[in-house]
Amino acid sequence: EAQVTQNPRYLITVTGKKLTVTCSQNMNHEYMSWYRQDPGLGLRQIYYSMNVEVTDKGDVPEGYKVSRKEKRNFPLILESPSPNQTSLYFCASSFQPGLLYEQYFGPGTRLTVT
Amino acid sequence: AQTVTQSQPEMSVQEAETVTLSCTYDTSESDYYLFWYKQPPSRQMILVIRQEAYKQQNATENRFSVNFQKAAKSFSLKISDSQLGDAAMYFCALSNDYKLSFGAGTTVTVRA
């Protein structure tokens, strides 16, 4: 089954404790992206990757890191989480960069930072 | 920079009736895509409908249709014959280059 998976689905952590949210897709997609969803703000793009070893900032990259060492994986790293990073996070992938005619979304990760 | 605005935080519709969700956007690009995504309580993002900016014909998917007004930068979604399963948050989104920008969302409730 074609899908984007994220782990963990739920995470409660404390300020400053490094964490990684994994994202994996099995569709051989070139393009992958991370979004955060906050009430009243919709989804905002954090980082995206056009292919292996090619990443770039989205609209809200501060406090986040990403890497793309393999085509299928695109982990999101929070080196020192803060309470303002409490949010719902989505990973998504698309067959190709350029015009994103369709993105496949993961199930979301609910992160709480206390 | 590109922006997407959904001016209706909430909409309510009677089952079997029609509801229209508004979306306006701003972009300097001439080539782009517009989308409506549905997010039910499960939080899964589900693509409802897609419109290519270079196509004048409005997209339709079963009970879902759009009214795309390129000059006015408007992209509304019409849900006909509303069903209880249509209750969700709906997001309008705009893509060009490598970015996808979303509106704040409209919560649709369906009254039985």
Side-chain angles (χ1 to χ4, degrees), chain A residues 3-4 6-7 23 28 36 38 40 54 66 72 79 81 83 90 106-107:
Chain A
Q3 60 182 351
V4 178
Q6 293 178 229
N7 283 292
C23 173
N28 202 36
R36 61 176 289 173
D38 301 290
V54 182
V66 293
R72 63 183 293 129
E79 294 272 3
F90 286 98

Side-chain angles (χ1 to χ4, degrees), chain B:
Chain B
Q2 56 191 38
T3 60
V4 179
T5 303
Q6 293 179 249
S7 58
Q8 306 154 313
E10 298 179 354
M11 294 288 283
S12 180
V13 61
Q14 188 72 35
E15 196 175 7
E17 297 295 310
T18 296
V19 64
T20 299
L21 310 184
S22 301
C23 174
T24 58
Y25 61 94
D26 191 24
T27 179
S28 57
E29 303 293 329
S30 59
D31 199 9
Y32 51 88
Y33 282 81
L34 292 159
F35 308 88
W36 279 98
Y37 280 91
K38 171 184 178 181
Q39 187 181 49
S42 67
R43 303 186 324 213
Q44 183 67 42
M45 294 291 288
I46 302 166
L47 179 65
V48 174
I49 200 163
R50 174 176 69 231
Q51 175 80 43
E52 292 94 335
Y54 63 86
K55 288 188 177 180
Q56 294 188 356
Q57 185 174 5
N58 290 324
T60 299
E61 289 286 342
N62 300 314
R63 298 181 295 106
F64 298 88
S65 62
V66 298
N67 184 3
F68 174 47
Q69 302 291 326
K70 190 172 184 178
K73 294 184 178 178
S74 171
F75 184 61
S76 62
L77 174 70
K78 184 170 76 172
I79 307 174
S80 303
D81 185 25
S82 296
Q83 301 175 0
L84 296 177
D86 295 333
M89 178 165 280
Y90 288 80
F91 292 99
C92 180
L94 163 70
S95 81
N96 58 55
D97 291 335
Y98 308 110
K99 293 192 172 182
L100 186 61
S101 300
F102 287 83
T106 298
T107 299
V108 173
T109 57
V110 181
R111 306 186 303 275

Side-chain angles (χ1 to χ4, degrees), chain A residues 4-7 19-26 29-35 45-58 61 64-78 89-94 103-104 106 109, chain B residues 98:
Chain A
V4 178
T5 58
Q6 293 178 229
N7 283 292
L19 67 91
T20 299
V21 183
T22 65
C23 173
S24 182
Q25 50 92 5
N26 63 0
H29 283 173
E30 291 186 356
Y31 180 95
M32 298 184 75
S33 183
W34 276 103
Y35 301 87
Q45 194 168 34
I46 303 171
Y47 269 96
Y48 61 91
S49 170
M50 291 168 280
N51 213 325
V52 176
E53 302 292 1
V54 182
T55 63
D56 206 348
K57 297 177 181 178
Y64 304 94
K65 286 177 59 177
V66 293
S67 68
R68 187 94 181 272
K69 299 188 187 311
E70 304 169 280
K71 197 171 187 177
R72 63 183 293 129
N73 296 324
F74 190 45
L76 179 68
I77 303 159
L78 284 71
Y89 291 86
F90 286 98
C91 179
S93 73
S94 178
Q103 282 196 95
Y104 293 80
T109 294
Chain B
Y98 308 110

